[in-house]
Amino acid sequence: MFGSEVDAISERLVEKLARREGTTPAELHPPLYEVVDLEALDAVFASLHGGTTRNAGGRVEFEYEGYRVRVEDDETIVVDELEDS
């Protein structure tokens, strides 16, 4: 991949989850794209025309294989283990 795609939020998220699981992004199971629409995630956090960052003040949060995943408006990615209920 070239350009800003290398830093796409979805790629950073997949890499972070793979590190947490001690595996490679290709070996994540199930693949993250089966749980969340990665293209939509990238679109939500994409820069505006001219490279200006969005200032929406929100976040995306979902669960993935025992983790609560949160992506903040500043592109901070937080992956926490879910507590047993």
Side-chain angles (χ1 to χ4, degrees):
M1 296 189 136
F2 300 95
S4 63
E5 292 181 34
V6 171
D7 294 326
I9 197 77
S10 63
E11 288 184 26
R12 292 180 26 226
L13 176 55
V14 168
E15 289 173 7
K16 186 167 194 149
L17 284 168
R19 280 193 308 270
R20 283 295 291 262
E21 288 291 295
T23 190
T24 66
E27 293 174 340
L28 275 178
H29 187 73
L32 190 57
Y33 64 79
E34 289 183 2
V35 177
V36 66
D37 184 332
L38 298 178
E39 289 181 16
L41 186 68
D42 287 338
V44 167
F45 292 97
S47 297
L48 301 172
H49 296 289
T52 306
T53 58
R54 295 178 187 264
N55 191 12
R59 69 178 177 212
V60 173
E61 191 171 322
F62 60 93
E63 292 181 9
Y64 173 81
E65 294 300 300
Y67 297 104
R68 178 168 315 284
V69 178
R70 190 174 72 240
V71 183
E72 300 285 347
D73 63 341
D74 66 355
E75 296 190 21
T76 298
I77 299 171
V78 179
V79 178
D80 293 319
E81 287 189 42
L82 290 172
E83 295 180 18
D84 292 333
S85 318

